[in-house]
């Protein structure tokens, strides 16, 4: 099937998740796995699963996302965590929103499928940032775009510069100020794959570091 959209998966030590995730990516998506300093064989597992592998030695979520954006070649590009917490099938309605012109940026709003999936400290930090953006600039979304689709060139032109955890916050802020049409759909938020650990919600310290990056962008 012809590739319609590139799917960028920023990964660090996500080999265990990719085993199940990659075979379930819908047809029409070409996967770009950005290996952000993994030591567990993530790159090899990604290649065996048919993904294009890009190495990004600079640590940071934003650095990995930007490397994937530069490596993408399709008109449309999607982004999703590579830890197994999202179902790639949820990208299909988001892609349709952008392709049909209903949105310039289509994002997912997390809906935990079980208790404990989204720890209180991570949910609190996310909620505060979203509240601030909605109050300050009238952002339409209710989550910080953990899964999203847009046109590749539009995103390049938006010039998101944060290279750490603040990347999605800066993206939403700039897209809102630029007058982008934003659509938001509920997406299931699942437990991470066994053998992987969240760099943000996996600990209070990780959430605190992410919150620092969020507020640095907003300052």
């Amino acid at each position: 099937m012809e590739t319609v959209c590139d799917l960028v998966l920023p990964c660090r030590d996500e080999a265990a998740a990719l085993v199940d995730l990659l075979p379930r990516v819908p047809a029409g998506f070409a996967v770009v796995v950005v290996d952000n300093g993994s030591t567990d064989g993530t790159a090899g597992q990604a290649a065996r699963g048919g993904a294009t592998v890009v190495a990004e030695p600079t640590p940071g979520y934003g650095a990995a996302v930007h490397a994937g954006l530069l490596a993408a070649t399709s008109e449309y590009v999607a982004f999703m965590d590579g830890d197994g917490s999202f179902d790639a099938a949820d990208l299909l309605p988001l892609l349709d929103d952008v392709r049909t012109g209903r949105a310039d940026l289509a994002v997912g709003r997390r809906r935990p499928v079980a208790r404990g999936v989204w720890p209180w400290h991570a949910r609190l930090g996310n909620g505060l940032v979203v509240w601030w953006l909605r109050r300050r600039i009238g952002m339409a979304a209710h989550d910080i775009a953990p899964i999203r689709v847009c046109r590749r060139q539009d995103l390049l032109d938006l010039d998101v510069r944060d290279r750490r955890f603040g990347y999605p916050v800066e993206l939403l802020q700039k897209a809102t100020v630029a007058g982008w049409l934003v659509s938001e759909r509920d997406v299931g938020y699942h437990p991470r794959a066994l053998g992987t650990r969240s760099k943000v919600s996996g600990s209070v310290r990780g959430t605190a570091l992410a919150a620092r990056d969020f507020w640095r962008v907003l300052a």
Side-chain angles (χ1 to χ4, degrees), residues 7 13 20 33 35 53 97 126 131 138 176 185 187 211 213:
L7 170 57
D13 296 332
D20 183 59
V33 168
D35 182 10
V53 180
D97 280 349
N126 180 83
W131 173 81
T176 300
R185 293 177 178 268
V187 296
D213 292 342

Side-chain angles (χ1 to χ4, degrees), residues 40-65:
D40 69 341
T42 286
Q45 185 59 56
R48 287 190 294 273
T52 297
V53 180
V54 175
E56 176 47 67
T58 302
Y61 175 79
V65 166

Side-chain angles (χ1 to χ4, degrees), residues 51-84:
T52 297
V53 180
V54 175
E56 176 47 67
T58 302
Y61 175 79
V65 166
H66 187 66
L69 175 63
L70 294 178
T73 57
S74 298
E75 178 180 0
Y76 303 96
V77 62
F79 300 88
M80 187 178 81
D81 288 347
D83 57 12

Side-chain angles (χ1 to χ4, degrees), residues 20-206:
D20 183 59
L21 190 159
L22 292 178
R24 298 172 59 190
V25 173
F29 286 86
V31 180
V32 178
V33 168
V34 182
D35 182 10
N36 197 210
S38 300
T39 59
D40 69 341
T42 286
Q45 185 59 56
R48 287 190 294 273
T52 297
V53 180
V54 175
E56 176 47 67
T58 302
Y61 175 79
V65 166
H66 187 66
L69 175 63
L70 294 178
T73 57
S74 298
E75 178 180 0
Y76 303 96
V77 62
F79 300 88
M80 187 178 81
D81 288 347
D83 57 12
S85 58
F86 295 105
D87 184 345
D90 284 337
L91 291 166
L92 292 170
L94 300 182
L95 176 59
D96 187 62
D97 280 349
V98 178
R99 293 184 74 189
T100 59
R102 288 191 296 269
D104 300 305
L105 173 66
V107 301
R109 182 180 186 181
R110 282 171 284 190
R111 297 299 191 187
V113 301
R115 294 185 64 182
V117 173
W118 198 358
W120 68 267
H121 47 85
R123 190 190 292 257
L124 176 62
N126 180 83
L128 288 173
V129 170
V130 167
W131 173 81
W132 177 252
L133 286 172
R134 288 174 60 82
R135 177 177 179 273
R136 180 184 181 191
I137 60 174
M139 182 187 76
H142 297 79
D143 201 346
I144 56 169
I147 173 174
R148 54 194 181 273
V149 178
C150 63
R151 286 181 176 79
R152 178 178 182 272
Q153 190 58 52
D154 286 350
L155 185 52
L156 287 169
D157 292 343
L158 197 63
D159 192 27
V160 181
R161 298 188 177 187
D162 188 88
R163 295 296 178 259
R164 298 184 63 82
F165 291 126
Y167 183 98
V169 175
E170 183 183 352
L171 166 63
L172 287 171
Q173 187 175 39
K174 285 190 169 181
T176 300
V177 172
W180 282 24
L181 293 174
V182 178
S183 69
E184 184 176 53
R185 293 177 178 268
D186 289 351
V187 296
Y189 193 36
H190 303 265
R192 294 174 57 91
L194 292 176
T196 67
R197 184 172 183 270
S198 173
K199 291 76 181 174
V200 177
S201 62
S203 67
V204 174
R205 180 178 183 275

